Amino acid sequence: SNLTKESSISSINYGDDESEILVALRGQKVKVFHVPDKSYSTVVDTAGGTGPIVGVARYDGAILTAAESGFRKWWKYDNPVEFNPVHTEVMGIGKLKKRKENSDALNEEEEKHAENLKIGRKLCKLRQCPWAKNLVAVGGKEVELQVWDLDAPENPVFKAKNVRCDKLDLRVPVWVSDLTFLSKTTLAICSRYGHIRKYDISSSMRRPVKDLIWNEKVKDEDLTCTTICAVNENQVLVGTSTGQLGLWDFSPNAGYYGLIRKYK
């Protein structure tokens, strides 16, 4: 068959174990590759929301996908479970937050306001916890880190709070480009603005417990962090849009502001 943009791979992940690989396509389909047979065993149509799939996982025999628009669908047999982290982010802002806390229904004007607030927001990544498969984390452009429990998907079990304003008292923009679980209770994220942060979801602190920044410039442009991988509970590898890799350590007084080594 002819290769098209819709058939390009947008996300990839192991299934229940390393004998199964879930391959998510931009056209919102998931192909299940069976490693022992070296062939695809199943193709699942996972249409939901708009944009490419930004994360795929398997739990309790079913497939979970997340679309860029924030629409997440857990394809649990004949009864799919749906939830939307972008909507959750918007409902935590201003007057909408009070409405949600009081369990009040939105009027027409508030619904339009909520839809307007979603403009420009998108999911960039979904990851599953290797130590607790029922936990998945998401983040994106103007969508702070959220952790959801698939056994109780009504509300996130953790929702990060933006860091305090910068030295000029300006709001720090949010753009989570990738994230990784360091343990069952700790995660790390990297952002398009060079931030590398560690969170502890078991504590009451919603802001990062450690906040590092890769503030190097490339051709007079700020460096963009695009991917992150856990090495251990205190160290991560971070990749950039210019092909650099950095080993970062969240331990106190580690390296030059946390940077241990750079690879090119």
Side-chain angles (χ1 to χ4, degrees):
S1 60
N2 295 328
L3 291 177
T4 64
K5 189 175 181 180
E6 295 300 297
S7 64
S8 63
I9 296 173
S10 60
S11 184
I12 194 166
N13 192 18
Y14 285 115
D16 289 325
D17 52 47
E18 294 186 5
S19 68
E20 180 185 72
I21 300 175
L22 306 176
V23 181
L25 306 182
R26 189 178 182 89
Q28 295 199 352
K29 294 181 185 296
V30 175
K31 301 172 73 175
V32 181
F33 185 81
H34 192 238
V35 176
D37 295 337
K38 299 180 181 179
S39 63
Y40 289 103
S41 59
T42 312
V43 178
V44 182
D45 187 354
T46 58
T50 58
I53 294 174
V54 297
V56 60
R58 186 186 281 283
Y59 177 63
D60 193 23
I63 291 175
L64 171 75
T65 58
E68 190 179 71
S69 64
F71 190 90
R72 288 200 315 178
K73 203 161 187 176
W74 185 18
W75 302 87
K76 192 174 183 181
Y77 317 113
D78 295 328
N79 186 26
V81 178
E82 303 173 4
F83 39 105
N84 192 326
V86 172
H87 180 74
T88 300
E89 183 75 22
V90 166
M91 290 303 294
I93 299 174
K95 294 180 179 179
L96 297 178
K97 182 179 180 179
K98 293 182 180 179
R99 282 284 196 177
K100 183 179 179 181
E101 290 173 348
N102 296 330
S103 300
D104 293 335
L106 300 183
N107 58 41
E108 185 177 350
E109 184 179 343
E110 288 169 333
E111 287 181 354
K112 288 181 180 179
H113 179 54
E115 290 303 314
N116 288 334
L117 287 175
K118 292 178 185 178
I119 297 173
R121 300 175 192 269
K122 64 178 182 180
L123 285 189
C124 294
K125 190 63 65 176
L126 172 143
R127 297 276 190 193
Q128 186 176 31
C129 178
W131 298 278
K133 295 282 190 177
N134 59 306
L135 296 180
V136 292
V138 296
K141 184 179 181 183
E142 291 303 330
V143 180
E144 278 284 10
L145 171 69
Q146 298 177 19
V147 180
W148 294 72
D149 184 349
L150 295 178
D151 290 331
E154 293 79 18
N155 292 292
V157 295
F158 176 84
K159 184 176 178 297
K161 188 176 183 179
N162 197 6
V163 296
R164 292 181 174 84
C165 295
D166 62 16
K167 295 178 181 178
L168 298 176
D169 202 29
L170 298 175
R171 177 185 176 275
V172 178
V174 174
W175 196 333
V176 178
S177 52
D178 198 5
L179 53 92
T180 183
F181 280 88
L182 304 174
S183 70
K184 186 178 178 180
T185 58
T186 55
L187 298 94
I189 67 100
C190 66
S191 87
R192 296 282 294 226
Y193 303 111
H195 303 115
I196 303 159
R197 294 168 176 157
K198 179 180 180 180
Y199 293 86
D200 184 353
I201 65 173
S202 65
S203 74
S204 58
M205 184 177 178
R206 291 170 54 201
R207 289 193 169 102
V209 295
K210 191 71 174 182
D211 190 1
L212 308 174
I213 186 165
W214 200 339
N215 55 9
E216 184 178 332
K217 287 186 178 290
V218 180
K219 295 181 180 179
D220 295 327
E221 292 185 4
D222 291 333
L223 187 142
T224 299
C225 298
T226 56
T227 187
I228 190 170
C229 175
V231 177
N232 54 49
E233 195 168 346
N234 280 312
Q235 292 186 336
V236 291
L237 273 172
V238 178
T240 74
S241 57
T242 56
Q244 294 188 70
L245 276 175
L247 177 62
W248 292 80
D249 196 319
F250 293 114
S251 303
N253 304 319
Y256 179 72
Y257 296 106
L259 180 60
I260 301 297
R261 187 174 299 163
K262 279 199 303 185
Y263 309 87
K264 292 185 178 180

